[in-house]
Amino acid sequence: MSSAPLRPSDLSGKTVLITGAARGMGEATARLAVARGARVVIGDVLHEEGRAVAASLGDAARYVPLDVSDADSWRSAVDAATDAYGQLDALVNNAAIYTTSPIEDEDPAQLRRLLDVDLIGPFLGIRAAAPALRRAGGGSIVNVSSQAGLQGMWGHGAYGAAKWGLRGLSKTAALELGRDGIRVNSIHPGSIATAMTAHLETKEHPGAPLGRIGEPEEVARLIVFLLSDESSYLSGAELAVDGGAAAGRMPVFPQRDRAAKAGGAAS
């Protein structure tokens, strides 16, 4: 590696394949990656939205239809990336579906669908991308898990099972691919202001010490750091980006608790 100083999360010359990049955290990551010098391949099943994002980013972006649960679709996406830009340097497994239900009420078919997209999808992506990353001399894979992949959460039996599985898959991939210079890390967003959380209709988050829902750009900054050479010795890690929500159980009345500790009265 060069010892020359890097500008923050410099991705110049790197090609990044991002799944679920037509909106939300994937779109934010694609936009930031291009701003930091990367070429991006936007994979999604939302064709119109994906093409619009790619068009807005100009020559530095391409859209490819990508059903992450289909191995042939993955092979086509990786081929499209290498055909367009000559190599593939990084993969972001961001595409996911999200539903909640108590275990006793969960439809087993929905569990299978969640596993297909949220766990088998990244598994197929790692398999498809690894040879291209190896040919490029190494690279970075970022798997977007969840706070539900770090701790048990009510109603998250199916979704949590997929995201805990992705956490374990990331660690195994880090062990197996490290000798080829391929780093693999998982990140664990909490509540982020995307289509998945639109039903909450609020930016407040009393379960997080920071007290608010996160923004897609805040997740994107972590992903881009993990894609860059600034994180060159970071692999097999699991990084929460959740406003502190997974750090521990919040008090039921945090304002009252703070006032009591200060010797005051809660209003």
Side-chain angles (χ1 to χ4, degrees):
M1 284 182 53
S2 171
S3 59
L6 297 169
R7 65 187 176 95
S9 301
D10 187 1
L11 299 182
S12 297
K14 296 185 185 295
T15 300
V16 185
L17 171 58
I18 308 170
T19 70
R23 63 184 184 184
M25 295 184 297
E27 178 186 354
T29 301
R31 294 189 181 283
L32 183 58
V34 168
R36 298 291 172 83
R39 288 95 41 108
V40 300
V41 177
I42 294 166
D44 214 306
V45 294
L46 301 175
H47 305 311
E48 184 176 342
E49 294 95 325
R51 291 189 187 98
V53 172
S56 72
L57 292 172
D59 292 339
R62 296 285 189 278
Y63 171 74
V64 295
L66 175 54
D67 175 357
V68 298
S69 66
D70 181 75
D72 289 336
S73 187
W74 268 111
R75 282 190 286 270
S76 295
V78 170
D79 287 346
T82 55
D83 288 347
Y85 298 118
Q87 64 186 53
L88 181 65
D89 302 282
L91 168 65
V92 180
N93 279 311
N94 167 73
I97 56 176
Y98 173 71
T99 62
T100 62
S101 175
I103 293 169
E104 290 182 290
D105 298 335
E106 185 65 86
D107 181 353
Q110 181 62 18
L111 168 61
R112 294 187 183 96
R113 177 61 179 155
L114 278 161
L115 292 172
D116 275 345
V117 175
D118 296 5
L119 179 56
I120 294 175
F123 175 86
L124 294 174
I126 293 169
R127 283 171 53 94
L133 297 175
R134 195 175 289 116
R135 288 194 299 272
S140 175
I141 298 174
V142 178
N143 293 324
V144 181
S145 179
S146 168
Q147 179 188 345
L150 291 173
Q151 61 182 176
M153 299 177 67
W154 191 93
H156 287 65
Y159 181 76
K163 292 301 190 177
W164 276 82
L166 182 54
R167 177 185 177 190
L169 175 65
S170 301
K171 290 188 177 297
T172 300
L175 290 172
E176 294 182 356
L177 300 177
R179 69 182 64 186
D180 297 314
I182 300 171
R183 299 181 294 108
V184 186
N185 295 286
S186 64
I187 69 165
H188 298 260
S191 293
I192 307 296
T194 68
M196 285 185 176
T197 60
H199 65 284
L200 298 177
E201 298 181 346
T202 180
K203 292 295 184 71
E204 296 182 359
H205 185 2
L210 294 186
R212 64 175 176 83
I213 287 174
E215 297 296 331
E217 292 76 16
E218 293 177 297
V219 179
R221 288 196 292 269
L222 175 58
I223 294 174
V224 167
F225 166 72
L226 291 171
L227 298 179
S228 77
D229 290 343
E230 286 190 313
S231 60
S232 57
Y233 200 56
L234 190 59
S235 192
E238 49 194 41
L239 303 173
V241 52
D242 62 358
R249 185 177 178 85
M250 281 287 289
V252 176
F253 299 109
Q255 290 181 336
R256 181 180 302 172
D257 290 350
R258 286 197 296 268
K261 288 179 180 178
S267 59

PDB file of all heavy atoms in Angstrom, residues 166-179:
ATOM      1  N   LEU A 166     -26.804 -13.252   8.432  1.00  0.00           N
ATOM      2  CA  LEU A 166     -25.904 -12.428   7.624  1.00  0.00           C
ATOM      3  C   LEU A 166     -24.684 -12.000   8.434  1.00  0.00           C
ATOM      4  O   LEU A 166     -23.573 -11.925   7.909  1.00  0.00           O
ATOM      5  CB  LEU A 166     -26.662 -11.208   7.098  1.00  0.00           C
ATOM      6  CG  LEU A 166     -25.882 -10.258   6.188  1.00  0.00           C
ATOM      7  CD1 LEU A 166     -25.261 -10.995   5.015  1.00  0.00           C
ATOM      8  CD2 LEU A 166     -26.789  -9.124   5.714  1.00  0.00           C
ATOM      9  N   ARG A 167     -24.891 -11.747   9.700  1.00  0.00           N
ATOM     10  CA  ARG A 167     -23.765 -11.420  10.590  1.00  0.00           C
ATOM     11  C   ARG A 167     -22.766 -12.571  10.641  1.00  0.00           C
ATOM     12  O   ARG A 167     -21.556 -12.379  10.520  1.00  0.00           O
ATOM     13  CB  ARG A 167     -24.316 -11.121  11.978  1.00  0.00           C
ATOM     14  CG  ARG A 167     -23.304 -10.822  13.057  1.00  0.00           C
ATOM     15  CD  ARG A 167     -24.050 -10.681  14.384  1.00  0.00           C
ATOM     16  NE  ARG A 167     -23.166 -10.456  15.505  1.00  0.00           N
ATOM     17  CZ  ARG A 167     -23.569 -10.502  16.770  1.00  0.00           C
ATOM     18  NH1 ARG A 167     -24.843 -10.765  17.045  1.00  0.00           N
ATOM     19  NH2 ARG A 167     -22.722 -10.287  17.742  1.00  0.00           N
ATOM     20  N   GLY A 168     -23.268 -13.797  10.790  1.00  0.00           N
ATOM     21  CA  GLY A 168     -22.377 -14.959  10.820  1.00  0.00           C
ATOM     22  C   GLY A 168     -21.728 -15.229   9.478  1.00  0.00           C
ATOM     23  O   GLY A 168     -20.542 -15.573   9.409  1.00  0.00           O
ATOM     24  N   LEU A 169     -22.497 -15.071   8.403  1.00  0.00           N
ATOM     25  CA  LEU A 169     -21.944 -15.246   7.060  1.00  0.00           C
ATOM     26  C   LEU A 169     -20.791 -14.280   6.822  1.00  0.00           C
ATOM     27  O   LEU A 169     -19.763 -14.645   6.229  1.00  0.00           O
ATOM     28  CB  LEU A 169     -23.046 -15.011   6.021  1.00  0.00           C
ATOM     29  CG  LEU A 169     -22.629 -15.034   4.557  1.00  0.00           C
ATOM     30  CD1 LEU A 169     -22.130 -16.414   4.140  1.00  0.00           C
ATOM     31  CD2 LEU A 169     -23.796 -14.594   3.666  1.00  0.00           C
ATOM     32  N   SER A 170     -20.925 -13.061   7.312  1.00  0.00           N
ATOM     33  CA  SER A 170     -19.878 -12.048   7.119  1.00  0.00           C
ATOM     34  C   SER A 170     -18.574 -12.472   7.771  1.00  0.00           C
ATOM     35  O   SER A 170     -17.487 -12.311   7.200  1.00  0.00           O
ATOM     36  CB  SER A 170     -20.341 -10.704   7.694  1.00  0.00           C
ATOM     37  OG  SER A 170     -21.536 -10.261   7.078  1.00  0.00           O
ATOM     38  N   LYS A 171     -18.666 -13.013   8.971  1.00  0.00           N
ATOM     39  CA  LYS A 171     -17.456 -13.429   9.678  1.00  0.00           C
ATOM     40  C   LYS A 171     -16.780 -14.606   8.980  1.00  0.00           C
ATOM     41  O   LYS A 171     -15.550 -14.652   8.857  1.00  0.00           O
ATOM     42  CB  LYS A 171     -17.789 -13.764  11.135  1.00  0.00           C
ATOM     43  CG  LYS A 171     -18.146 -12.534  11.955  1.00  0.00           C
ATOM     44  CD  LYS A 171     -18.284 -12.863  13.409  1.00  0.00           C
ATOM     45  CE  LYS A 171     -18.571 -11.613  14.230  1.00  0.00           C
ATOM     46  NZ  LYS A 171     -17.480 -10.623  14.182  1.00  0.00           N
ATOM     47  N   THR A 172     -17.579 -15.563   8.523  1.00  0.00           N
ATOM     48  CA  THR A 172     -16.996 -16.699   7.810  1.00  0.00           C
ATOM     49  C   THR A 172     -16.351 -16.256   6.504  1.00  0.00           C
ATOM     50  O   THR A 172     -15.246 -16.694   6.159  1.00  0.00           O
ATOM     51  CB  THR A 172     -18.070 -17.762   7.541  1.00  0.00           C
ATOM     52  OG1 THR A 172     -18.604 -18.211   8.789  1.00  0.00           O
ATOM     53  CG2 THR A 172     -17.486 -18.943   6.785  1.00  0.00           C
ATOM     54  N   ALA A 173     -17.020 -15.366   5.779  1.00  0.00           N
ATOM     55  CA  ALA A 173     -16.453 -14.862   4.523  1.00  0.00           C
ATOM     56  C   ALA A 173     -15.156 -14.103   4.779  1.00  0.00           C
ATOM     57  O   ALA A 173     -14.206 -14.193   3.993  1.00  0.00           O
ATOM     58  CB  ALA A 173     -17.468 -13.969   3.812  1.00  0.00           C
ATOM     59  N   ALA A 174     -15.096 -13.361   5.885  1.00  0.00           N
ATOM     60  CA  ALA A 174     -13.856 -12.645   6.221  1.00  0.00           C
ATOM     61  C   ALA A 174     -12.708 -13.624   6.429  1.00  0.00           C
ATOM     62  O   ALA A 174     -11.571 -13.371   5.996  1.00  0.00           O
ATOM     63  CB  ALA A 174     -14.069 -11.793   7.479  1.00  0.00           C
ATOM     64  N   LEU A 175     -12.985 -14.749   7.070  1.00  0.00           N
ATOM     65  CA  LEU A 175     -11.956 -15.767   7.286  1.00  0.00           C
ATOM     66  C   LEU A 175     -11.514 -16.402   5.974  1.00  0.00           C
ATOM     67  O   LEU A 175     -10.321 -16.599   5.733  1.00  0.00           O
ATOM     68  CB  LEU A 175     -12.487 -16.852   8.225  1.00  0.00           C
ATOM     69  CG  LEU A 175     -12.698 -16.463   9.690  1.00  0.00           C
ATOM     70  CD1 LEU A 175     -13.398 -17.595  10.425  1.00  0.00           C
ATOM     71  CD2 LEU A 175     -11.378 -16.119  10.365  1.00  0.00           C
ATOM     72  N   GLU A 176     -12.471 -16.722   5.132  1.00  0.00           N
ATOM     73  CA  GLU A 176     -12.156 -17.465   3.919  1.00  0.00           C
ATOM     74  C   GLU A 176     -11.515 -16.608   2.832  1.00  0.00           C
ATOM     75  O   GLU A 176     -10.711 -17.103   2.041  1.00  0.00           O
ATOM     76  CB  GLU A 176     -13.426 -18.121   3.377  1.00  0.00           C
ATOM     77  CG  GLU A 176     -13.993 -19.195   4.298  1.00  0.00           C
ATOM     78  CD  GLU A 176     -15.221 -19.873   3.738  1.00  0.00           C
ATOM     79  OE1 GLU A 176     -15.703 -19.473   2.659  1.00  0.00           O
ATOM     80  OE2 GLU A 176     -15.710 -20.809   4.387  1.00  0.00           O
ATOM     81  N   LEU A 177     -11.875 -15.317   2.773  1.00  0.00           N
ATOM     82  CA  LEU A 177     -11.431 -14.474   1.664  1.00  0.00           C
ATOM     83  C   LEU A 177     -10.266 -13.564   2.024  1.00  0.00           C
ATOM     84  O   LEU A 177      -9.676 -12.924   1.154  1.00  0.00           O
ATOM     85  CB  LEU A 177     -12.601 -13.620   1.161  1.00  0.00           C
ATOM     86  CG  LEU A 177     -13.813 -14.406   0.636  1.00  0.00           C
ATOM     87  CD1 LEU A 177     -14.927 -13.444   0.230  1.00  0.00           C
ATOM     88  CD2 LEU A 177     -13.423 -15.290  -0.538  1.00  0.00           C
ATOM     89  N   GLY A 178      -9.927 -13.507   3.308  1.00  0.00           N
ATOM     90  CA  GLY A 178      -8.867 -12.595   3.736  1.00  0.00           C
ATOM     91  C   GLY A 178      -7.541 -12.843   3.060  1.00  0.00           C
ATOM     92  O   GLY A 178      -6.797 -11.896   2.756  1.00  0.00           O
ATOM     93  N   ARG A 179      -7.210 -14.101   2.807  1.00  0.00           N
ATOM     94  CA  ARG A 179      -5.913 -14.409   2.184  1.00  0.00           C
ATOM     95  C   ARG A 179      -5.802 -13.825   0.778  1.00  0.00           C
ATOM     96  O   ARG A 179      -4.697 -13.687   0.243  1.00  0.00           O
ATOM     97  CB  ARG A 179      -5.710 -15.920   2.141  1.00  0.00           C
ATOM     98  CG  ARG A 179      -6.630 -16.660   1.193  1.00  0.00           C
ATOM     99  CD  ARG A 179      -6.409 -18.149   1.250  1.00  0.00           C
ATOM    100  NE  ARG A 179      -6.740 -18.706   2.568  1.00  0.00           N
ATOM    101  CZ  ARG A 179      -6.525 -19.956   2.919  1.00  0.00           C
ATOM    102  NH1 ARG A 179      -5.947 -20.797   2.076  1.00  0.00           N
ATOM    103  NH2 ARG A 179      -6.870 -20.378   4.110  1.00  0.00           N
TER     104      ARG A 179
END
